[in-house]
Each structure stands twice: as C-alpha cells, then as structure tokens.
Amino acid sequence: MAPSSCMQADAAAAGTDVEAEINPEQLYQHFTNLISTFPSSNGLGHLRFYRHGQGWNASMAPMVGAMVADACFTARPSDIVVATHPKCGTTWIKALVYATVHRGDHPPATAADHPVNSSSPHECVKFLELQLYTGKSVPDLDELPDPRLFATHVPFASLPRSMARSGSKIVYVCRDPKDTFISLWSFMNRYRNTAGLEPLPVETAAELFCDGLSPFGPYWDHVLGYWRAHVAFPERVLFLRYEEMQRDPAAHVRRLAEFVGRPFGAGEEEDGAVDGIVRLCAFEHLSTLEMTKGGNMELAVGAMENNAFFRRGVHGGGLGEPSVSGDGAPDRRHYRGQVQRFWSQRLLA
C-alpha cells in the first residue's frame, strides 16, 4: 500500500482530510513522537513501557507498529487473525491455525516437507506489530492469497479499525493467569539477560504483572476485551482456553476448522487428518525440530532464540517456582480474587 493510502485510510476513519503525502518514515516518526508523550514506567521486560490512551502498556516499537497498522492495514473478510496475550499458547495456536487452514496444500500426512517442520510458526503466521509493521516500512500485503493469516498481541479495542469494518475472523486463546505470568517472567528474563540486565526477581515481576505493567497488559483487560467481543460477535471471534485445548486438542482442531469455514469432511476424518494436525503441532514434535533448536526470531523488541518459544506449557507448571510471598498465601488470595473478578464480569457481559 502506498504511504498516502495509509494516511487517507486513517484520515477517513477520523473524519479529516489529508492533502500532503506522508511517507512511511514520517508516519513512524509521527507515532514515535506521540507515544513519547504518553506516561511511561519500567515494566516486566527489558525496555521502558508506555501507556496507550486505551489503557494498555507496551514498549515503544510494538506500540508504534500497532498504530501504523491501524493507519495502513487494509483487512479483508477472509483474513484470519490469531490474537493472544503474550505467553498464552501463541506458538501452538499459530501452528494449529496454519496447519488447519492449509491442509489442502500441505496435508499433515506429508509431514516431512510440511512448512511447519521447516519454518517457525511465527514465520508462518506473522505478528502485525512485531514483524510486519516494523523498521519504518509499510509491507505490501495485497498480493498475499486468501485467506491471509496474521497474528497480534494488541488488545481488541486497539486492533486496526479495518478489521471491524471487514468482518475478519479472530481466534483468541486465553490461559490461566499464574501460568501466563510464570512463562512471561521466564521469557522476559531471557531478554534482560541478552541486554546485559539483571533478571527480575519473581516478587518484583509479580507486582508488575498484577499492576498491568506487562507487555500488552493489563492481562485481565486483555482477556475481557476479547471475551466481550466473542459474546457480541461469536461468528467473528472464537474464544479458546489453553487448558481446555490441552485436554482435548482434536476437538479444538475441529472447532477451529468449523470457525474458519473449512470443516473436516468424512474422508478427512477417516484418513486421520485431525489427529495428524494434532501430532504435527504438538510440543513433543515441534520442540525436536532443527529450526527450534537453533537460530533466532527477529522481532521489533529484539531478537530471541527460537528455542525460547518452546517452553513446555503445563497447567500449574509454575507452581514449583518461588511464590510471591514465600508461603504463597497472598499469592493464592490475589489470583483467587482475579479469577472471581473475571468470571463475575464474564457472566455479566
């Protein structure tokens, strides 16, 4: 898309006129300057966090990317967007979505040369704000065939406005908050180590997470935003729980296929296509691949080793980590209160 088209789309949504062309570098600089005026603080990570006007926190580069995507991205009704809060099963759901949507061209039975085996799920389904709208460039996505697959960590309220207008489908995955926190704490300390910073103690990280100072947090606002969108538009927003996916992955692959308009036929069921996708995308398989063991993933917030994205996600797996309080009591009380708040709002939505 031409730079002027970005600004025209943004101006049309805002009800203003744009007479001068603005190139991508100017657009990135405009949003960088804007974000630099937002409240900022240290957060659960290695970079300074800024607070978006719609209430969420992120470091500079992904927030700029989200704003440029809002101005420039032209969604299609056929688009499928994977949305998650960080460390909620993003890698797994990306692999499942890609394998399910593209099973005609890449049957799971031919796993040896399947793209999931040679490319990271994060290369198969790229983040808008972390991989595509980065580096002061605006990608040309018009030539991508339907259905286009994208991913985002951005809260629902700040998704590109063209998504709402187009009717794109969104697949959202949420996860138990304590497991999310433990995984995020471990992941962000790897970034801190790469940057030459001391690791965050779990007590400090827990305070930041509970205060919403985590990437794209507050966590509960993120979950509730997509839950309410699912309640209002169930045909457009699929809401999944990571723990339920783990208990019955095959049922969720079938549900996913129905949602994206590509249900499994009787012949596919007989040939074991569903189970083939489950095996292809399983942690036990993906974690053994060469692309997982080596190489880096380039993101707007910095490069990270591919193996960092394949930490085994077991429900309650973080319970062996140090507790926030030492005896764990305040920690348990806090999460019990958070869970009660979520479900009470879920029932009232």
Side-chain angles (χ1 to χ4, degrees), residues 94-333:
K94 281 186 174 186
L96 289 172
V97 168
Y98 184 90
T100 300
V101 170
H102 291 293
R103 67 184 188 273
D105 296 329
H106 305 290
T110 60
D113 59 355
H114 197 285
V116 168
N117 281 330
S118 57
S119 300
S120 164
H122 298 293
E123 289 296 332
C124 294
V125 185
K126 292 188 175 184
F127 287 108
L128 291 170
E129 70 281 358
L130 289 166
Q131 291 172 286
L132 294 172
Y133 291 92
T134 63
K136 297 184 178 181
S137 65
V138 174
D140 184 0
L141 305 175
D142 291 342
E143 299 304 315
L144 294 179
D146 293 333
R148 302 183 304 179
L149 306 181
F150 301 108
T152 188
H153 284 321
V154 172
F156 182 80
S158 294
L159 291 176
R161 284 164 285 184
S162 65
M163 285 187 189
R165 296 193 294 267
S166 72
S168 304
K169 289 184 178 290
I170 298 170
V171 178
Y172 185 78
V173 180
C174 77
R175 185 183 182 188
D176 180 278
K178 184 163 186 176
D179 295 334
T180 299
F181 161 67
I182 291 296
S183 185
L184 185 62
W185 171 55
S186 173
F187 185 78
M188 297 314 296
N189 270 342
R190 293 186 69 151
Y191 263 121
R192 291 180 65 86
N193 180 64
T194 301
L197 300 173
E198 290 292 322
L200 281 175
V202 66
E203 295 85 359
T204 302
E207 289 289 337
L208 292 168
F209 183 79
C210 294
D211 288 343
L213 290 171
S214 58
F216 303 93
Y219 171 83
W220 287 109
D221 292 347
H222 199 286
V223 174
L224 284 167
Y226 281 95
W227 169 253
R228 287 170 177 152
H230 163 71
V231 170
F233 310 105
E235 73 286 354
R236 288 182 46 206
V237 182
L238 178 65
F239 191 96
L240 304 175
R241 291 190 67 237
Y242 182 83
E243 294 76 20
E244 293 174 354
M245 291 172 61
Q246 284 189 315
R247 286 195 289 270
D248 193 348
H252 283 79
V253 169
R254 292 185 180 94
R255 186 179 173 191
L256 177 63
E258 289 277 354
F259 177 74
V260 300
R262 301 193 175 203
F264 290 91
E268 289 182 298
E269 291 282 1
E270 292 175 4
D271 292 340
V274 174
D275 290 337
I277 289 174
V278 171
R279 288 193 299 271
L280 176 69
C281 302
F283 172 87
E284 290 76 11
H285 174 69
L286 293 179
S287 61
T288 64
L289 300 175
E290 289 303 315
M291 65 87 182
T292 303
K293 297 176 182 178
N296 293 330
M297 176 63 57
E298 295 291 337
L299 299 172
V301 293
M304 177 53 66
E305 295 170 321
N306 283 329
N307 60 23
F309 297 94
F310 291 89
R311 180 182 182 273
R312 180 181 289 276
V314 178
H315 179 46
L319 297 180
E321 304 284 358
S323 70
V324 173
S325 62
D327 65 1
D331 185 36
R332 289 192 297 272
R333 285 196 296 269

Side-chain angles (χ1 to χ4, degrees), residues 14-31:
T16 61
D17 294 322
V18 174
E19 296 182 1
E21 282 194 7
I22 298 181
N23 63 37
E25 187 170 348
Q26 289 174 308
L27 190 60
Y28 275 86
Q29 190 60 53
H30 166 73
F31 287 123

